[in-house]
């Protein structure tokens, strides 16, 4: 399969650079995977698609203010984007500067704080901070908005680039399908008899990296840390026993569940995953998916195509562009039921 098969033309004005006034105010494009049928509506129409006995699985990762500005002790300006927190004081980070800092060099953080460059791990720099890193980030860090939101972050992003159920700090990008849910909608979902469960996947900056190979099969995914607990395994088993569907909220929830069920059986899992789901890969757990609209030629678009079918997905995206849906992190959403006969672009 070629990466170019997953290209589509997106007008610049359809990229959502700011959130709507209300989380639930987004539009919802519903795609029935087996038939390819499309229906247009509002995000609150999701309630009508859910059934008593279903299980919704959310990613409860919390986005940290992972972007720092500063300078080397020698005076050169730089920008730090934390990729992963290693422990209380150490992180792996991307560092942008005219010249890369050398091991042992000091970094002075804008707003107060300092770090030492310890060593380099390929493209990432290991930094050790002089104070607990999460506290420093909360004090002087900036929310790490995606590169296609080409504006500085503001105070509102601290709340809106975060799900209302965010709990476990560690992500440097939001699980954006969850941004549409507010407390009132979650209460209505539970009142309908829909169960909920939470996995954790700390989304990394690699989620925005372009696929730099021509053949999909040659791409190697970046690693991200996730945890699927025994409580989630039990909730899925109970859902299956009562005839309900497992509805994943976001591609990160899909990757979490399918990583934990790689051998065909869902088991507790904690650790790194580099699972790459593209057309032809089986799904062992997820029956329906809530997701945003993704970048052209991205691994997330490939995952959706594996779930709904390539031709069905690309037709849905063409319709979304034609109907002026808002794209990417602060954009609109889709509700997709899995196509058991999903095919790739070569068929």
């Amino acid at each position: 399969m070629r990466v170019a098969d997953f290209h589509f033309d997106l007008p610049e004005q359809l990229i959502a650079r700011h959130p709507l006034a209300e989380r639930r105010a987004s539009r919802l494009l519903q795609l029935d995977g087996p038939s390819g049928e499309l229906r247009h509506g509002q995000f609150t129409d999701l309630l009508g698609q859910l059934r008593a006995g279903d299980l919704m699985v959310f990613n409860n990762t919390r986005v940290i203010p992972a972007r720092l500005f500063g300078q080397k002790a020698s005076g050169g300006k730089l920008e730090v984007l934390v990729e992963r927190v290693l422990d209380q004081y150490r992180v792996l980070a991307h560092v942008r500067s005219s010249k890369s800092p050398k091991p042992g060099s000091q970094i002075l953080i804008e707003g107060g704080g300092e770090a030492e460059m310890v060593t380099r791990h390929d493209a990432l720099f290991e930094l050790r901070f002089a104070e607990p890193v999460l506290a420093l980030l909360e004090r002087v860090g900036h929310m790490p908005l995606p590169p296609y939101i080409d504006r500085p972050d503001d105070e509102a992003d601290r709340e809106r680039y975060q799900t209302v159920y965010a709990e476990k700090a560690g992500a440097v990008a939001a699980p954006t399908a969850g941004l549409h849910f507010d407390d009132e909608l979650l209460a209505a979902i539970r009142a309908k008899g829909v169960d909920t469960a939470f996995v954790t996947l700390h989304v990394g900056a690699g989620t925005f990296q372009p696929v730099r190979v021509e053949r999909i099969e040659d791409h190697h995914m970046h690693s991200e840390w996730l945890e699927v607990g025994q409580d989630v395994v039990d909730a899925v088993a109970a859902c299956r026993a009562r005839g309900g569907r497992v509805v994943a909220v976001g591609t990160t929830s899909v990757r979490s569940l399918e990583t934990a069920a790689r051998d065909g059986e869902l088991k507790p899992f904690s650790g790194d995953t580099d699972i790459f789901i593209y057309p032809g890969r089986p799904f062992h757990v997820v029956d329906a998916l809530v997701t945003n609209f993704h970048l052209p030629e991205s691994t997330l678009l490939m995952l959706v195509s594996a779930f709904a079918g390539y031709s069905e997905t690309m037709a849905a995206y063409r319709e979304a562009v034609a109907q002026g849906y808002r794209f990417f992190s602060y954009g609109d959403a889709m509700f997709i039921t899995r196509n058991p006969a999903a095919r790739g672009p070569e068929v």
Side-chain angles (χ1 to χ4, degrees), residues 144 325 334:
Y325 278 74
M334 294 184 73

Side-chain angles (χ1 to χ4, degrees), residues 289-320:
L289 169 63
V290 180
T291 188
N292 279 23
F293 292 96
H294 304 293
L295 291 163
E297 299 185 10
S298 65
T299 60
L300 302 182
L301 180 56
M302 295 167 194
L303 183 152
V304 173
S305 296
F307 192 78
Y310 170 79
S311 61
E312 292 84 356
T313 297
M314 300 308 287
Y317 269 60
R318 287 191 296 271
E319 177 69 5

Side-chain angles (χ1 to χ4, degrees), residues 26 34 83 86 93-94 113 131-132 161 187 203 212 230 241 259 261 288 292-293 339:
S26 300
E83 171 73 21
L86 297 175
H94 305 268
E131 64 183 281
Y161 195 61
V203 192
R212 294 189 171 94
Q230 183 65 51
T259 293
N292 279 23
F293 292 96
N339 179 3

Side-chain angles (χ1 to χ4, degrees), residues 29-85:
L29 179 59
Q30 300 166 46
L31 168 59
D32 180 69
S35 69
E37 179 188 353
L38 294 170
R39 292 190 296 279
H40 302 282
Q42 297 300 121
F43 191 77
T44 48
D45 295 337
L46 177 66
L47 268 174
Q49 296 300 311
L50 300 173
R51 310 168 190 158
D54 284 348
L55 171 69
M56 296 194 81
V57 180
F58 298 85
N59 180 7
N60 66 3
T61 188
R62 185 170 187 82
V63 181
I64 56 178
R67 180 167 280 120
L68 297 167
F69 298 96
Q71 63 183 45
K72 291 177 281 189
S74 59
K77 291 188 176 183
L78 50 72
E79 177 183 332
V80 173
L81 177 62
V82 174
E83 171 73 21
R84 182 178 295 208
V85 176

Side-chain angles (χ1 to χ4, degrees), residues 12-323:
E12 181 79 9
Q13 65 268 24
L14 295 186
I15 299 174
R17 290 177 170 81
H18 295 271
L20 298 174
E22 294 185 18
R23 290 178 181 268
R24 59 164 62 194
S26 300
R27 296 166 71 189
L28 184 71
L29 179 59
Q30 300 166 46
L31 168 59
D32 180 69
S35 69
E37 179 188 353
L38 294 170
R39 292 190 296 279
H40 302 282
Q42 297 300 121
F43 191 77
T44 48
D45 295 337
L46 177 66
L47 268 174
Q49 296 300 311
L50 300 173
R51 310 168 190 158
D54 284 348
L55 171 69
M56 296 194 81
V57 180
F58 298 85
N59 180 7
N60 66 3
T61 188
R62 185 170 187 82
V63 181
I64 56 178
R67 180 167 280 120
L68 297 167
F69 298 96
Q71 63 183 45
K72 291 177 281 189
S74 59
K77 291 188 176 183
L78 50 72
E79 177 183 332
V80 173
L81 177 62
V82 174
E83 171 73 21
R84 182 178 295 208
V85 176
L86 297 175
D87 58 31
Q88 191 175 7
Y89 294 94
R90 295 182 308 128
V91 303
L92 289 178
H94 305 268
V95 177
R96 291 176 56 187
S97 61
S98 57
K99 290 185 179 179
S100 298
K102 293 183 170 64
S105 63
Q106 295 297 308
I107 295 173
L108 306 177
I109 306 299
E110 187 178 289
E114 58 184 85
E116 176 190 354
M117 203 290 254
V118 178
T119 188
R120 189 164 181 171
H121 303 271
D122 296 323
L124 296 173
F125 294 79
E126 182 179 330
L127 307 179
R128 181 188 292 114
F129 288 84
E131 64 183 281
V133 64
L134 290 179
L136 179 141
L137 292 174
E138 285 298 328
R139 191 178 82 249
V140 300
H142 295 260
M143 289 301 274
L145 297 180
Y148 46 75
I149 299 181
D150 48 2
R151 62 171 176 82
D153 66 309
D154 56 36
E155 193 59 35
D157 293 312
R158 286 255 177 165
E159 177 202 358
R160 291 304 300 276
Y161 195 61
Q162 195 85 267
T163 64
V164 297
Y165 47 81
E167 181 183 351
K168 298 185 178 180
V172 301
T176 55
L179 298 180
H180 306 281
F181 294 85
D182 55 24
D183 290 328
E184 187 179 348
L185 182 56
L186 289 170
I189 287 169
R190 293 187 180 104
K192 189 166 183 176
V194 176
D195 199 5
T196 56
F198 294 89
V199 298
T200 304
L201 185 147
H202 291 324
V203 192
T207 191
F208 303 117
Q209 291 298 311
V211 179
R212 294 189 171 94
V213 295
E214 290 186 14
R215 294 176 67 253
I216 288 173
E217 294 84 353
D218 295 334
H219 177 66
H220 182 70
M221 287 285 285
H222 59 285
S223 290
E224 294 169 314
W225 185 89
L226 71 87
E227 184 169 32
V228 176
Q230 183 65 51
D231 60 325
V232 177
V233 175
D234 293 343
V236 169
C239 174
R240 292 276 184 252
R242 63 178 176 257
R245 300 171 300 169
V246 176
V247 181
V249 178
T251 56
T252 59
S253 294
V254 174
R255 295 183 70 234
S256 298
L257 292 168
E258 298 299 332
T259 293
R262 256 180 160 162
D263 63 358
E265 179 186 354
L266 184 64
K267 301 173 184 174
F269 179 91
S270 179
D272 283 357
T273 183
D274 61 358
I275 190 171
F276 181 19
I277 301 174
Y278 55 86
R281 295 290 296 266
F283 289 85
H284 300 296
V285 183
V286 181
D287 302 303
L289 169 63
V290 180
T291 188
N292 279 23
F293 292 96
H294 304 293
L295 291 163
E297 299 185 10
S298 65
T299 60
L300 302 182
L301 180 56
M302 295 167 194
L303 183 152
V304 173
S305 296
F307 192 78
Y310 170 79
S311 61
E312 292 84 356
T313 297
M314 300 308 287
Y317 269 60
R318 287 191 296 271
E319 177 69 5
V321 169
Q323 296 299 324

